[in-house]
Amino acid sequence: MTFEEKVNQFLNVTGDIEQLETLLFERSAELLQLIAFIKEKGLEAEYRARITIAKAKAVPQMNNG
């Protein structure tokens, strides 16, 4: 399911755009904290490598779904 589909499904169920905005804001804050931690610990190279692997695995799944 794409991000847009998930957003539409959430809005169809709740109809609450403010709740959606809050969830997106909180998730963005969590991601920024994780990125700061990764940089602080000097793990950027490993992080980038894992992201590359995850993207490579996700592309075939996205094409099949």
Side-chain angles (χ1 to χ4, degrees):
M1 182 180 295
T2 66
F3 177 75
E4 290 82 10
E5 291 170 334
K6 289 180 182 179
V7 167
N8 287 332
Q9 182 180 26
F10 178 86
L11 290 174
N12 287 336
V13 171
T14 67
D16 190 348
I17 193 138
E18 289 181 13
Q19 184 181 5
L20 177 62
E21 289 172 345
T22 300
L23 290 171
L24 291 173
F25 177 80
E26 289 173 353
R27 183 66 178 140
S28 295
E30 290 172 3
L31 291 172
L32 290 172
Q33 288 177 329
L34 290 171
I35 290 169
F37 175 80
I38 288 167
K39 287 181 179 180
E40 180 182 308
K41 298 297 181 182
L43 300 170
E44 292 114 320
E46 183 178 346
Y47 173 76
R48 282 191 218 100
R50 289 182 182 212
I51 292 294
T52 301
I53 292 168
K55 285 181 181 179
K57 289 180 179 179
V59 170
Q61 292 176 2
M62 289 176 69
N63 290 336
N64 291 332

